[in-house]
Amino acid sequence: MTLAEDRAASTADVFGVSYRVDEYDCLALAQALRARGLDVYFVNWGDVDVQASRLRRVYHSNRGIYVHDVTCAAFDAVFLYKMEGFLREQPRFFAMVAMFEASCVTVINDPATIRHNIDKHYLFELARQGIPIIPTCRLTVNGSAAKGGAASMLTHDAGAAIPFVGLIESTHERGESIVLKPWRGERGDAVVRLDARAPRAAWHELARNIDPSRYLAQAFMPSVRAGERSLAFLGHTFQHAVIKFPNPRDPDEFRCNESLGGTVEPYRPTDAELALAGRILRSYEALGYPVHFSRVDLIDSPQGPLLMEAELLNPSIYANYLGRGQAFGAAFADYVCTLLGSRR
């Protein structure tokens, strides 16, 4: 199980984990796996030697000790759970995924799914299968709007390419706000909103500092203040849900990340949300990418729930946060044992 290690908290017989929401679920997962007779190891992905296909240092959870210089072929299954800084070191990350793919029968999530899900282009593939997504477009560098403005993102097909300057001019003219997200990003990093209330000159100033090839553009959804719904799944089976809110003390903040002051509460999804989340995972798998450990993020709209993101890589599940750590750990351990039984 790969984890983001808090090295300052690690000792000779304790593996320190970094984040309560993200990582402390691992303790319940490990406990449930041990109860089913499995040996469980924690590894900081910084201790993976990709060239040698070995792990320099791993923590054996069953015995409470560190083991050194372990071959990757020694493991029946690898759970790529948390990798601190993996987006900053993508070549090494992808090399690690390929290493585990070649060495282990079972990798969660599936390596093909990991490679596909790291890039938000998957939204357009799902949209072509009929999944309702937030109005989203690609950005091109050249071009500007003629008098009256180019067509709004809201009237474009999902995935349409729109000149960045033209989008700024036409969207501001219509009084619409837009959100720019990196194609590859997490935790709200580098996500910005172009607010319709700001002067057009401020938009253009921001645009001068952005490489549009690295970003997608989405219509800003004011309903985000009413909460982003996050539904957790194992395979196609729903587990639990939370609703995440932006910082209540900052009316201009729209990101729901706790690191930015966002809050999280238990949530009971509607039948429509459950149905859409199930469709999303089935559609994703129909593309050829297995789903195992997933979080589906939805947002409300006048037309019904829309997909924000399908998190199949590095998802926070919030089980321990909700007091469901043991129950979810048991479900996860059963799921892993079933996978191992079917693949041996």
Side-chain angles (χ1 to χ4, degrees):
M1 185 183 304
T2 61
L3 288 168
E5 181 183 6
D6 181 356
R7 286 192 180 272
S10 293
T11 66
D13 54 1
V14 172
F15 186 99
V17 291
S18 298
Y19 306 113
R20 174 176 182 260
V21 170
D22 291 346
E23 272 74 33
Y24 279 16
D25 286 343
C26 74
L27 304 178
L29 301 181
Q31 180 183 24
L33 290 165
R34 292 195 306 266
R36 285 153 180 78
L38 299 179
D39 285 297
V40 182
Y41 295 83
F42 296 164
V43 61
N44 179 330
W45 82 292
D47 289 324
V48 177
D49 185 341
V50 174
Q51 280 68 40
S53 192
R54 303 184 75 83
L55 309 180
R56 301 184 189 94
R57 166 183 170 270
V58 295
Y59 178 74
H60 189 192
S61 176
N62 303 61
R63 298 165 61 195
I65 63 171
Y66 285 91
V67 183
H68 299 271
D69 195 29
V70 181
T71 176
C72 294
F75 300 97
D76 294 309
V78 173
F79 180 28
L80 295 174
Y81 182 33
K82 295 293 174 182
M83 294 75 57
E84 187 72 4
F86 74 99
L87 283 170
R88 296 190 298 271
E89 300 183 65
Q90 291 180 44
R92 189 167 73 85
F93 170 69
F94 286 126
M96 181 187 73
V97 172
M99 177 195 70
F100 283 131
E101 184 178 24
S103 304
C104 304
V105 175
T106 300
V107 181
I108 305 172
N109 269 328
D110 189 276
T113 305
I114 289 172
R115 286 188 284 263
H116 185 260
N117 191 247
I118 198 172
D119 194 304
K120 293 182 177 63
H121 281 92
Y122 71 80
L123 290 169
F124 304 136
E125 296 180 63
L126 292 176
R128 286 193 289 271
Q129 294 198 52
I131 298 299
I133 69 172
I134 296 172
T136 305
C137 72
R138 308 169 196 266
L139 298 172
T140 60
V141 176
N142 298 319
S144 61
K147 183 64 178 174
S152 166
M153 181 199 316
L154 299 175
T155 65
H156 270 66
D157 293 333
I162 300 179
F164 191 21
V165 174
L167 177 65
I168 287 176
E169 294 174 352
S170 62
T171 305
H172 193 277
E173 184 176 293
R174 289 179 171 83
E176 300 167 355
S177 298
I178 59 176
V179 174
L180 302 179
K181 291 183 179 179
W183 287 111
R184 297 184 177 187
E186 64 170 353
R187 303 184 190 275
D189 291 343
V191 176
V192 296
R193 179 175 62 171
L194 301 182
D195 194 319
R197 298 170 297 177
R200 182 179 296 189
W203 282 36
H204 281 277
E205 175 63 28
L206 178 62
R208 281 191 285 272
N209 298 309
I210 284 181
D211 176 2
S213 68
R214 293 183 54 246
Y215 284 81
L216 58 82
Q218 289 185 325
F220 172 67
M221 305 295 292
S223 58
V224 72
R225 298 297 303 185
E228 174 185 322
R229 287 80 164 158
S230 292
L231 284 63
F233 286 81
L234 287 172
H236 294 277
T237 302
F238 170 70
Q239 299 297 316
H240 55 262
V242 297
I243 185 167
K244 300 178 290 186
F245 300 96
N247 188 335
R249 295 174 298 281
D250 184 354
D252 292 325
E253 182 56 76
F254 62 98
R255 294 165 295 179
C256 296
N257 308 79
E258 286 191 290
S259 59
L260 301 171
T263 59
V264 181
E265 297 177 8
Y267 181 67
R268 182 175 181 177
T270 66
D271 290 344
E273 290 165 345
L274 284 169
L276 176 57
R279 280 180 56 206
I280 289 165
L281 294 180
R282 290 192 298 273
S283 295
Y284 214 114
E285 202 153 69
L287 294 171
Y289 305 107
V291 297
H292 294 303
F293 188 90
S294 313
R295 194 189 78 225
V296 178
D297 294 340
L298 307 175
I299 192 168
D300 200 16
S301 80
Q303 295 74 41
L306 303 175
L307 173 63
M308 290 191 73
E309 293 185 6
E311 294 283 0
L312 305 175
L313 166 64
N314 216 41
S316 301
I317 296 294
Y318 298 97
N320 183 69
Y321 190 92
L322 296 175
R324 292 201 71 251
Q326 290 189 336
F328 182 72
F332 177 77
D334 289 342
Y335 187 85
V336 170
C337 288
T338 299
L339 279 180
L340 288 172
S342 65
R343 296 184 179 186
R344 279 175 169 163

